[in-house]
Amino acid sequence: MIRSSSYAGVMESLMNSAEEQQPSSPLANSWSKPQESSKNQMPKCIGGFVLVHAGAGYHSESKAKEYKHVCKRACQRAVDRLKAGALAVEAVAAALVELEDSPFTNAGMGSNLNLSGEIECDASIMDGKSLHYGAVGAISGIKNPVLVANRLLSEAQKGKLSAGRIPPCFLVGRGAHDWAVSHGISPCPSEKMATKFSLSAYKRNKRKMELAEKMDTGPNQAKKRRQSSENENVSGCLDTVGAIVVDLEGNVAAAVSSGGLAMKHPGRVGQAAHYGCGCWAENAFNMNPYSTAVSTSGCGEHLIRTMLARECSAAMQSEDAHQALLQTMQNKFISSPFLASEDRVLGGVIVLRCCRCAEPPPSPKIQGILVEFLWSHTTESMCVGYMSAQDSKAKTHISRLPPGTVPGQCLAIEGGVCRLMSVAE
């Protein structure tokens, strides 16, 4: 069963809203690559767009306000960086820091604890302009794993190390921690990253595991335990966070961060660190007319085995973005032959694509870009937020599957469009 919002209607209303809000001076709604003016001055251009998610999992009504607030703060943080002239990769990292710092998300502060009662985080970031990627897996003692991933990316862009050595793009465990500290990223004791909520969840899950181990080991009991475990995962343990950004030069970037599954085995690395699985960003080039960016959430093993981020990015080159994402989620994820043995396939994505506006502008000095953005999930819910540099505040939404539908066997898909304009004087 597929639940699909009235995408065309949503797009039209957002387009009309953006156009109605456009002031008499288009500089307030600016988006363009800086150009030389007749006075050899840089144009007063600000612009860009950010879409974030606080995870695909379960977001209770009692905590909906907190999830929406953190998405708003993350959007504002990214837009502030864009307005200051930052590139997409810097803005997307700023959004992730805000999401990691929230005690309500399963990333950075307040992450799920593993079987040993420790916090191990995964994160990755990708720059659509350079196509460089940085990631850390199972890293402990670092408050903001995305900063380490971003530093790996920036160091790799500098070229080879001494004696012609290739710089790393993906580090794990103690090696990742030591590398981060040696590159100026301050450590944070793991006990300070745990919250009352994450600690109580760990104790509750540990008691359930101990009780389960005392149960009979017959096939029926094993099936009940497996189903119980699946229900626990649906109930909020999958909320990886992420963001995707377009900057004023048309570059895209994507990032993702996660504390991983609750009670995971120490050393387990989820999709948030794997190339092509957690995030993807790619500027338009050659035969690809669109720049695309993707960030995923959900059960890491399901996302890894389907490389969902890269699959969704490739699909966005189709003419109909909504139909392409729907088909990708259905055929490449829910019905994927790589997940044929799974009863429930759990995951979610946020996606954007952008290109220069096809219709001619009213003036040669005015430039525009069209940004289509979508989100889709097979989990019970997914919290998203989005904002352009011309907006006064971010919009947030908790998308939910219809009542009575089975998570992992059906999907929701929604989205919109934003037209960004700018003027070079």
Side-chain angles (χ1 to χ4, degrees):
M1 180 177 180
I2 297 174
R3 173 205 174 203
S4 176
S5 70
S6 179
Y7 180 66
V10 174
M11 289 178 64
E12 183 177 1
S13 64
L14 286 172
M15 179 80 79
N16 292 337
S17 174
E19 291 174 344
E20 288 170 3
Q21 293 174 4
Q22 191 169 345
S24 57
S25 172
L27 284 172
N29 275 357
S30 57
W31 194 105
S32 77
K33 184 175 181 179
Q35 299 178 355
E36 290 185 1
S37 67
S38 58
K39 298 179 181 179
N40 294 322
Q41 294 178 341
M42 293 296 287
K44 296 179 180 179
C45 291
I46 56 172
F49 179 85
V50 57
L51 173 64
V52 306
H53 70 79
Y58 174 72
H59 305 83
S60 66
E61 293 291 349
S62 62
K63 294 180 181 177
K65 187 175 181 180
E66 285 79 5
Y67 281 113
K68 288 182 178 181
H69 277 174
V70 70
C71 283
K72 286 182 179 179
R73 293 196 301 270
C75 287
Q76 189 64 60
R77 178 79 74 92
V79 166
D80 287 346
R81 297 297 300 133
L82 290 171
K83 287 182 176 180
L87 297 178
V89 71
E90 299 173 57
V92 83
L96 261 291
V97 168
E98 192 68 41
L99 292 167
E100 289 177 336
D101 285 348
S102 170
F104 295 98
T105 61
N106 177 29
M109 187 69 65
S111 289
N112 287 329
L113 277 64
N114 64 16
L115 278 173
S116 301
E118 300 173 342
I119 289 178
E120 292 182 326
C121 297
D122 308 323
S124 63
I125 187 168
M126 187 167 180
D127 176 16
K129 181 179 181 180
S130 67
L131 299 182
H132 276 278
Y133 148 92
V136 290
I139 187 173
S140 297
I142 298 293
K143 183 183 178 185
N144 296 114
V146 72
L147 294 182
V148 189
N150 192 35
R151 187 61 184 270
L152 281 165
L153 184 153
S154 62
E155 290 296 316
Q157 289 177 326
K158 295 178 182 179
K160 293 183 178 180
L161 304 174
S162 61
R165 292 174 298 138
I166 302 297
C169 66
F170 183 10
L171 293 174
V172 299
R174 185 68 191 181
H177 175 275
D178 292 347
W179 187 94
V181 173
S182 70
H183 284 76
I185 298 174
S186 300
C188 177
S190 293
E191 56 269 21
K192 289 188 177 181
M193 294 178 63
T195 62
K196 291 182 179 179
F197 177 77
S198 63
L199 288 171
S200 63
Y202 171 73
K203 293 175 181 177
R204 183 171 63 252
N205 288 329
K206 190 172 183 181
R207 286 195 299 269
K208 288 181 179 180
M209 288 183 62
E210 291 172 349
L211 289 172
E213 290 172 357
K214 294 179 182 179
M215 295 171 62
D216 294 337
T217 58
N220 291 334
Q221 294 295 336
K223 183 177 180 180
K224 288 181 180 179
R225 287 197 301 275
R226 185 173 65 253
Q227 291 174 341
S228 175
S229 175
E230 288 173 350
N231 290 334
E232 284 296 316
N233 284 338
V234 171
S235 299
C237 299
L238 307 175
D239 45 355
T240 297
V241 301
I244 48 183
V245 169
V246 183
D247 67 24
L248 61 85
E249 294 185 358
N251 304 306
V252 292
V256 61
S257 181
S258 178
L261 294 172
M263 309 305 287
K264 64 182 180 180
H265 194 282
R268 179 261 190 186
V269 177
Q271 105 285 353
H274 280 77
Y275 187 69
C277 306
C279 67
W280 192 263
E282 194 171 348
N283 281 11
F285 74 99
N286 295 338
M287 299 301 292
N288 289 344
Y290 298 104
S291 295
T292 60
V294 182
S295 182
T296 69
S297 179
C299 178
E301 280 66 22
H302 295 172
L303 297 163
I304 291 169
R305 286 153 65 186
T306 54
M307 294 191 71
L308 190 61
R310 193 170 184 178
E311 288 282 3
C312 289
S313 176
M316 286 302 100
Q317 297 299 331
S318 300
E319 182 177 350
D320 187 332
H322 178 266
Q323 186 65 22
L325 181 59
L326 190 154
Q327 291 179 347
T328 300
M329 289 293 290
Q330 184 63 55
N331 300 331
K332 301 290 187 177
F333 192 56
I334 295 177
S335 303
S336 170
F338 298 102
L339 301 177
S341 61
E342 301 292 339
D343 295 328
R344 298 183 179 186
V345 180
L346 302 168
V349 297
I350 55 172
V351 179
L352 69 76
R353 74 177 188 181
C354 59
C355 65
R356 295 291 174 184
C357 293
E359 60 271 22
S363 166
K365 292 184 178 181
I366 298 178
Q367 299 183 30
I369 190 169
L370 197 65
V371 181
E372 293 181 82
F373 57 96
L374 305 99
W375 57 87
S376 179
H377 58 96
T378 66
T379 54
E380 292 187 43
S381 62
M382 187 171 188
C383 184
V384 299
Y386 53 93
M387 183 179 185
S388 72
Q390 66 232 32
D391 294 331
S392 59
K393 61 181 180 179
K395 298 178 180 67
T396 58
H397 175 63
I398 295 184
S399 175
R400 300 186 185 277
L401 292 179
T405 56
V406 180
Q409 297 178 357
C410 60
L411 65 88
I413 181 168
E414 301 177 80
V417 68
C418 182
R419 187 197 301 270
L420 303 168
M421 305 296 292
S422 68
V423 167
E425 289 187 331

